[in-house]
Amino acid sequence: MENSNNIYQMRAVTRHIEDVPKEWESTNDWDSHRELLWLAVNKCIGNIVEVGCGYGSTLLLQKYCKQNNQWFISLDNNKEWVDKFDATGYAEDLVGCALSYVPCAVLFIDFAPGELRRNAISEMRDDADVIVVHDTEPGADYVYGMKEVLSTFKYRLDYQPEGKPHTTAVSNTVNVCLWI
């Protein structure tokens, strides 16, 4: 799938993102998305939808949205995780369920099974100002298969912390490349 936009901008960042609060800094592989996610929720005003809850994001997003009087929806297809994080809801069909909560400012995608993330990105591409996706490093594309769909967005910002999984923010309307 080729980028059909006339203008395509991509930027990669490997250094620590400035001004990230300590609690949003990554401490391990499964939360390496925190810094870019923090940047997205601070740059985009509006509702936040998380598809796939967990230790790396849900509690921080709940707290952030409560402090900033923003609407937050957290969905997962694992009932145990929904209960553990007091998420908004359980759904076997995460994409179908998430579509009932969009449009939104930020859509965060980090759910299992990971190979279905590309379908979520494709189906919800026009329902969020910015989509943030975890595990986008080239070496993991054989599992996640997101390379092709991520390349179809007009703007793309890749956060590539050394030795950790990458995270990507994409949009067709918000120039995420200007954030750094």
Side-chain angles (χ1 to χ4, degrees):
M1 188 182 297
E2 287 187 34
N3 184 312
S4 60
N5 299 301
N6 293 331
I7 301 170
Y8 178 70
Q9 293 184 30
M10 180 178 165
R11 185 165 188 189
V13 177
T14 57
R15 62 176 162 65
H16 172 73
I17 296 174
E18 294 180 23
D19 300 323
V20 172
K22 184 94 173 132
E23 67 182 334
W24 284 81
E25 291 179 5
S26 174
T27 59
N28 53 56
D29 284 356
W30 50 263
D31 69 5
S32 62
H33 57 273
R34 283 182 175 176
E35 293 187 27
L36 187 55
L37 183 58
W38 177 84
L39 195 57
V41 299
N42 277 278
K43 296 288 186 179
C44 299
I45 298 171
N47 303 332
I48 299 169
V49 176
E50 172 187 58
V51 185
C53 60
Y55 291 107
S57 57
T58 307
L59 299 176
L60 288 171
L61 288 170
Q62 287 170 337
K63 181 179 176 183
Y64 179 89
C65 289
K66 185 174 183 178
Q67 289 174 338
N68 293 284
N69 198 31
Q70 285 180 261
W71 183 70
F72 174 59
I73 297 295
S74 180
L75 305 168
D76 207 296
N77 56 2
N78 181 321
K79 182 75 169 114
E80 183 180 324
W81 285 93
V82 168
D83 294 342
K84 187 180 293 194
F85 294 101
D86 194 26
T88 307
Y90 164 81
E92 286 185 28
D93 176 13
L94 281 177
V95 174
C97 185
L99 283 169
S100 66
Y101 293 104
V102 292
C104 61
V106 176
L107 173 64
F108 177 51
I109 297 176
D110 190 19
F111 67 91
E115 59 272 13
L116 296 181
R117 293 180 193 177
R118 68 177 164 259
N119 299 338
I121 297 164
S122 182
E123 289 184 47
M124 295 190 286
R125 66 181 297 118
D126 298 319
D127 296 312
D129 295 336
V130 173
I131 299 174
V132 178
V133 187
H134 193 219
D135 301 311
T136 58
E137 63 277 6
D141 199 58
Y142 76 97
V143 173
Y144 297 101
M146 297 183 285
K147 178 182 175 182
E148 187 176 319
V149 71
L150 291 173
S151 71
T152 65
F153 286 84
K154 187 173 182 178
Y155 304 108
R156 176 176 175 165
L157 177 61
D158 289 308
Y159 180 53
Q160 305 168 342
E162 187 176 344
K164 293 183 179 179
H166 298 180
T167 303
T168 299
V170 290
S171 179
N172 283 322
T173 58
V174 175
N175 190 345
V176 297
C177 300
L178 298 176
W179 291 353
I180 304 276

